[in-house]
Amino acid sequence: HRIKPLNGPLLVASIGTARVVLTLEDNVMTGGIGSMVGTVLCEHGSAIPFKRIAIDDQYCFRYGDREWMYASYGLDPDSVQRLTREFVAGR
């Protein structure tokens, strides 16, 4: 029900022996959960490959429903699947 304060040691322990870490959020990239996770990984000296999938920090001057927004900003299922596969394959 809440993310703050983020439990860094628990997050790092939960990642364990994962090959990669990827965060996905339907919000702007800057200051979101991906930023929080990346900071914790960095502060704990983790060298695990890490990727954030979110909306680039930009203004939106158009309106639409959730599906339109997801498709417009690369958060639709096909885009997320493609980005995830590309990221994991590159590791």
Side-chain angles (χ1 to χ4, degrees):
H1 69 285
R2 64 182 164 88
I3 207 93
K4 288 183 177 182
L6 185 62
N7 186 331
L10 179 61
L11 174 65
V12 172
S14 297
I15 290 169
T17 59
R19 293 185 318 143
V20 300
V21 172
L22 186 139
T23 61
L24 171 65
E25 59 188 305
D26 63 348
N27 202 339
V28 293
M29 192 173 297
T30 305
I33 184 67
S35 295
M36 293 170 63
V37 170
T39 298
V40 167
L41 292 174
C42 183
E43 288 176 348
H44 284 84
S46 176
I48 191 166
F50 173 66
K51 179 169 183 66
R52 299 175 297 166
I53 298 176
I55 299 171
D56 289 331
D57 195 14
Q58 60 183 305
Y59 291 107
C60 175
F61 296 104
R62 298 174 13 202
Y63 299 94
D65 62 15
R66 184 178 300 257
E67 287 75 26
W68 177 86
M69 293 291 287
Y70 282 178
S72 296
Y73 291 100
L75 297 177
D76 59 290
D78 290 338
S79 296
V80 170
Q81 183 180 37
R82 179 184 49 77
L83 290 167
T84 301
R85 287 181 184 214
E86 288 172 359
F87 179 65
V88 172
R91 305 295 166 228

